[in-house]
């Protein structure tokens, strides 16, 4: 019994040992490895809010609405942000902005021009609104520099979070003039959860050197955004950033509006391709909605997540990251992005309350009557037809420059003027014309300048402007809704006053100005003729890349064009086309005026 029992036990042990060392039989289930623990992070992003807090159209004095029923404003964004924070309670959520914040509405203009925060000590409405929303960082956009460096510095001081711009450098020292980046340490989850260090790099647009030359020349220089990212991303990694996100004020087209003389205006995709170590890029500037776009880094093969949340607070970007941790190192195992529409929520009452007094004051200001209009004047046709309302701009610009140059070196030269159809919806109603009507016509904070151009340069400029139109062979229907090349924005189509000209839209680009004569005559403009040309600072400094216009100014009193229009209307009391409307250009084909149709 004993020996038999011992043998049996030895057999059992032998079988067990063999089973332990034998290979698994085909089809036998392997012992499942435990899944690694994961954590998640959400980054919310806004961009190009452009002074919009309330869902309000100051030009129409009504709630904002457009053909797609979008809403606008930080108050709407705040509601979405707060909903996501509540949904993710106890889990990490960061909120970033990619720039163009303090310019774009009468609200923003009022606290830069009428009651500037630099002299009143008032907190800027965008600082009030964004502080309520509790951003983690904002990148400076090009429009942050519109009102000068003192106002920008004051606004930054008012923010409860950092403002970033790694490639804006002190012209004297070459060192960053603003904070290049921050590393935020966030806790992923509840008690005892590990911490993640998120590096946030801010890149502003190099075009500031052109568009706001008067504010930054000799004080700031703007380095290439790709090269700047290549410098700072490794530095952030060395300093312990586990995840690197760039907040960039530049689109992803890879092209520039100002030509090759400055670093690329829209390099976001190039940054993702060329700079290793980036997990995601929130970008802006182009005013496009890009919910989710992956760009493969050419060095590492890693996919960089990018997203752009449209403009004015119409969309909120949401980026979600899933991470694992092994031996103290974090790995991103999944990432995605989407955009959320702010027209799905109501405005956040705390943001509204913070800015209510400033909003009310702005509404009162823009509703002041400045003049009476003898007839209704509309900008609806200004892109393709000479209209009195665009001539109003050119008349005021011509008059101001002519008076300023009287008795001087350039007094004997004819004064021409350039204006662009910024708005398709601007109207001066018959009767009361208010500040908001004028602001709706001239929506940018441009100042008036003047340069001298030759006749040849005027023609070249007009040829460049005429590329706005598509080609319509003789005999084909010209539909005004489809008349322009959609790659050329309305603000990059200019019309002249002071000379008479025809644009032949049947001819190729570069050969369209078929008639260019001195005003009111049949005398062709000589190539060597000289003219003073009134133009806004954006265009004169290279915006739009128009030929011949980047020259030394013969007039630059730093006067805002919108205010000049308001002042002229107030002084006259009456806006009457008989005082300024001179039809001087038209669209033709083979010399015959174009018949336009509305589809």
């Amino acid at each position: 019994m004993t020996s038999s029992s011992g043998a049996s036990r030895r057999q059992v042990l032998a079988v067990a040992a063999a089973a332990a060392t034998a290979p698994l039989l085909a089809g036998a289930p392997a012992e499942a490895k435990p899944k690694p623990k994961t954590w998640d992070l959400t980054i919310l992003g806004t961009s190009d809010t452009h002074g919009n807090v309330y869902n309000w159209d100051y030009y129409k004095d009504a709630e904002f609405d457009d053909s797609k029923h979008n809403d606008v404003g930080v108050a709407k964004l705040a509601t979405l942000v707060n909903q996501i924070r509540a949904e993710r309670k106890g889990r990490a959520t960061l909120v970033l902005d990619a720039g163009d914040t303090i310019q774009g509405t009468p609200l923003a203009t009022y606290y830069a021009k009428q009651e500037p925060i630099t002299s009143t000590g008032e907190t800027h409405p965008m600082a009030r609104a964004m502080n309520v929303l509790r951003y983690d960082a904002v990148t400076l956009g090009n429009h942050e520099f519109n009102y000068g460096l003192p106002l920008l510095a004051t606004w930054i001081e008012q923010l409860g979070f950092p403002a970033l711009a790694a490639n804006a450098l002190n012209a004297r020292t070459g060192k960053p003039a603003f904070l290049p980046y921050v590393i935020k340490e966030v806790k992923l989850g509840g008690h005892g959860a590990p911490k993640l260090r998120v590096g946030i790099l801010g890149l502003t647009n190099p075009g500031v050197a052109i568009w706001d030359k008067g504010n930054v020349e000799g004080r700031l220089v703007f380095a290439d955004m790709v090269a700047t990212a290549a410098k700072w991303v490794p530095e952030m990694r060395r300093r312990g950033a586990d995840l690197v996100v760039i907040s960039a004020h530049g689109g992803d087209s890879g092209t520039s509006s100002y030509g090759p003389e400055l670093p690329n205006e829209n390099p976001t995709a190039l940054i993702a391709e060329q700079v290793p170590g980036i997990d995601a890029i929130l970008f802006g500037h182009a005013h496009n909605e890009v919910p989710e776009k992956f760009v493969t880094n050419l060095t590492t093969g890693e996919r960089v997540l990018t997203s752009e949340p449209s403009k004015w607070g119409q969309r909120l970007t949401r980026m979600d990251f899933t991470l694992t941790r092994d031996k103290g190192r974090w790995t991103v195992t999944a990432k995605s992005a989407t955009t959320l529409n702010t027209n799905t929520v109501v405005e956040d009452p705390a943001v509204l309350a913070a800015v209510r007094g400033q909003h009310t004051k702005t509404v009162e200001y823009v509703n002041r009557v400045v003049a009476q209009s003898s007839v209704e004047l509309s900008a609806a046709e200004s892109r393709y037809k000479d209209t009195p309302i665009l001539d109003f701009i050119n008349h005021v610009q011509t008059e101001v420059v002519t008076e300023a140059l009287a008795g001087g070196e350039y007094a004997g030269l004819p004064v021409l003027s350039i204006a662009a159809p910024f708005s398709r919806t601007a109207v001066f109603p018959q009767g009361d014309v208010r500040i908001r009507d004028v602001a709706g016509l001239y929506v940018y904070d441009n100042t008036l300048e003047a340069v001298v151009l030759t006749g040849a340069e005027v023609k070249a400029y007009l040829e460049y402007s005429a590329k706005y139109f598509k080609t319509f062979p003789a005999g084909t229907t010209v539909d005004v809704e489809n008349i322009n090349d959609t790659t050329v924005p309305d603000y990059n189509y200019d019309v002249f006053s002071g000379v008479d000209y025809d644009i032949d839209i049947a001819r190729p680009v570069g050969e369209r100005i078929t008639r260019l004569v001195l005003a009111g005559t049949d005398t062709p403009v000589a190539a060597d003729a000289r003219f003073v040309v009134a133009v806004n600072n954006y265009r004169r400094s290279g915006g739009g890349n128009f030929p011949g216009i980047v020259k030394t100014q013969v007039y630059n009193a730093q006067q805002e064009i919108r205010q000049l229009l308001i002042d002229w209307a107030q002084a006259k009391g009456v806006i009457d086309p008989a005082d300024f409307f001179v039809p001087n250009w038209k669209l033709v084909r083979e010399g015959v005026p174009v018949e336009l149709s509305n589809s």
Side-chain angles (χ1 to χ4, degrees):
M1 290 288 293
T2 304
S3 61
S4 172
S5 174
S8 177
R9 188 173 61 181
R10 284 195 298 272
Q11 288 174 341
V12 170
L13 292 173
V15 170
T21 58
L24 290 172
L25 296 175
E31 189 174 314
K33 290 184 179 180
K35 286 186 177 180
K37 182 171 176 56
T38 62
W39 288 268
D40 61 86
L41 167 73
T42 293
I43 296 178
L44 306 178
T46 65
S47 188
D48 296 274
T49 51
H50 281 286
N52 286 281
V53 177
Y54 277 58
N55 183 43
W56 194 257
D57 186 333
Y58 292 93
Y59 305 123
K60 295 179 180 177
D61 195 28
E63 183 176 314
F64 180 90
D65 193 24
D66 63 13
S67 60
K68 296 181 180 179
H69 302 298
N70 288 303
D71 287 349
V72 299
V74 175
K76 288 270 185 171
L77 290 168
T79 299
L80 283 177
V81 169
N82 289 336
Q83 286 181 354
I84 295 167
R85 281 174 171 153
E87 162 204 322
R88 293 182 47 77
K89 188 172 184 180
R91 292 181 291 166
T93 305
L94 298 176
V95 187
L96 309 178
D97 185 89
D100 273 6
T101 303
I102 61 172
Q103 176 277 338
T105 62
L107 173 69
T109 301
Y110 189 88
Y111 288 95
K113 295 289 188 178
Q114 301 303 317
E115 294 186 14
I117 59 172
T118 44
S119 54
T120 64
E122 179 78 74
T123 300
H124 195 283
M126 292 304 289
R128 288 177 181 266
M130 296 176 81
N131 286 342
V132 172
L133 195 150
R134 306 196 323 274
Y135 278 83
D136 290 283
V138 60
T139 291
L140 302 183
N142 52 283
H143 282 288
E144 264 64 84
F145 297 86
N146 286 172
Y147 303 115
L149 298 182
L151 187 132
L152 174 56
T154 301
W155 176 68
I156 290 174
E157 290 171 2
Q158 295 174 346
L159 297 176
F161 47 88
L164 311 175
N167 59 318
L169 309 177
N170 183 298
R172 183 177 56 84
T173 67
K175 295 181 178 179
F178 304 92
L179 195 64
Y181 69 90
V182 292
I183 296 180
K184 299 275 295 188
E185 189 172 81
V186 297
K187 182 179 281 190
L188 301 179
H191 180 72
K195 292 179 179 178
L196 178 77
R197 290 168 61 85
V198 181
I200 304 160
L201 177 68
L203 299 173
T204 193
N205 203 285
V208 174
I210 288 178
W211 305 320
D212 273 303
K213 184 177 180 180
N215 291 330
V216 302
E217 188 175 28
R219 306 178 71 180
L220 297 176
V221 293
F222 295 84
D224 180 84
M225 295 170 75
V226 181
T228 303
K231 172 183 177 179
W232 288 106
V233 169
E235 175 70 11
M236 294 161 68
R237 290 289 187 183
R238 280 193 297 270
R239 290 181 175 270
D242 303 305
L243 187 84
V244 170
V245 178
I246 293 180
S247 175
H249 195 76
D252 65 349
S253 67
T255 61
S256 299
S257 65
Y258 43 67
E261 67 272 16
L262 282 182
N264 196 295
E265 178 183 353
N266 296 297
T268 291
L270 299 175
I271 296 169
E273 283 182 348
Q274 298 177 21
V275 181
I278 302 167
D279 294 289
I281 304 177
L282 171 72
F283 68 101
H285 184 62
H287 289 198
N288 294 325
E289 182 178 4
V290 182
E292 177 188 76
K293 180 179 177 182
F294 286 97
V295 180
T296 301
N297 184 269
L298 299 178
T299 301
T300 65
E302 294 292 329
R303 297 202 311 161
V304 180
L305 175 65
T306 72
S307 181
E308 181 180 19
S310 189
K311 61 184 179 183
W312 305 346
Q314 293 178 356
R315 300 291 185 273
L316 175 72
T317 280
R318 175 173 179 163
M319 295 179 173
D320 289 299
F321 302 84
T322 303
L323 306 103
T324 60
R325 182 175 171 88
D326 182 46
K327 297 178 181 178
R329 295 181 63 86
W330 287 98
T331 301
V332 178
T333 60
K335 52 189 173 182
S336 62
T338 189
T339 49
L340 306 175
N341 197 325
T342 56
N343 71 5
T344 62
V345 295
V346 299
E347 293 170 290
D348 178 70
V351 172
L352 295 182
V355 184
R356 181 168 289 115
Q358 295 171 315
H359 168 74
T360 300
K361 183 177 284 189
T362 302
V363 169
E364 292 172 350
Y365 170 72
V366 299
N367 276 290
R368 294 179 192 171
V369 175
V370 293
Q372 301 290 310
S373 182
S374 60
V375 294
E376 180 179 284
L377 303 179
S378 170
E381 299 178 319
S382 293
R383 297 174 298 125
Y384 49 83
K385 181 179 178 182
D386 198 343
T387 57
I389 201 166
L390 219 58
D391 273 14
F392 169 66
I393 298 172
N394 274 331
H395 176 80
V396 173
Q397 292 182 166
T398 299
E399 193 174 88
V400 170
V401 170
T402 300
E403 290 176 0
L405 298 182
E409 177 183 355
Y410 304 99
L413 298 182
V415 177
L416 315 183
S417 180
I418 298 170
F422 292 149
S423 170
R424 300 187 184 191
T425 58
V427 174
F428 290 178
Q430 184 177 16
D432 289 347
V433 175
R434 305 175 191 275
I435 286 175
R436 62 181 168 86
D437 301 318
V438 180
L441 172 65
Y442 208 99
V443 296
Y444 296 108
D445 300 319
N446 296 331
T447 57
L448 182 62
E449 301 183 3
V451 298
V452 174
L453 297 186
T454 65
E457 288 171 327
V458 169
K459 186 174 188 297
Y461 192 105
L462 287 169
E463 289 284 11
Y464 183 86
S465 183
K467 71 184 177 67
Y468 174 81
F469 297 102
K470 294 180 179 178
T471 302
F472 293 88
T476 60
T477 300
V478 180
D479 175 12
V480 298
E481 297 303 319
N482 191 41
I483 199 168
N484 63 291
D485 180 341
T486 54
T487 65
V488 182
D490 293 355
Y491 62 76
N492 275 345
Y493 169 61
D494 285 347
V495 302
F496 268 73
S497 66
V499 288
D500 297 346
Y501 61 97
D502 292 347
I503 304 172
D504 191 329
I505 58 174
R507 297 181 64 82
V509 171
E511 302 175 14
R512 290 180 163 179
I513 306 303
T514 54
R515 175 175 172 268
L516 178 60
V517 299
L518 299 175
T521 75
D522 292 322
T523 305
V525 170
D528 61 352
R530 297 173 76 228
F531 303 92
V532 171
V533 180
V535 61
N536 70 53
N537 66 299
Y538 172 82
R539 189 70 81 230
R540 205 282 313 162
S541 60
N545 202 30
F546 279 69
I549 199 70
V550 181
K551 295 187 173 186
T552 302
Q553 309 97 311
V554 299
Y555 166 84
N556 182 10
Q558 291 290 298
Q559 293 179 290
E560 191 177 275
I561 294 171
R562 183 194 295 123
Q563 192 60 48
L564 290 171
L565 301 178
I566 293 169
D567 293 345
W568 189 94
Q570 285 180 315
K572 293 284 287 188
V574 175
I575 299 174
D576 186 346
D579 293 333
F580 52 79
F581 181 42
V582 180
N584 68 296
W585 67 272
K586 61 183 180 295
L587 301 183
V588 302
R589 287 183 294 189
E590 298 177 355
V592 178
V594 172
E595 292 187 13
L596 302 167
S597 70
N598 289 282
S599 61

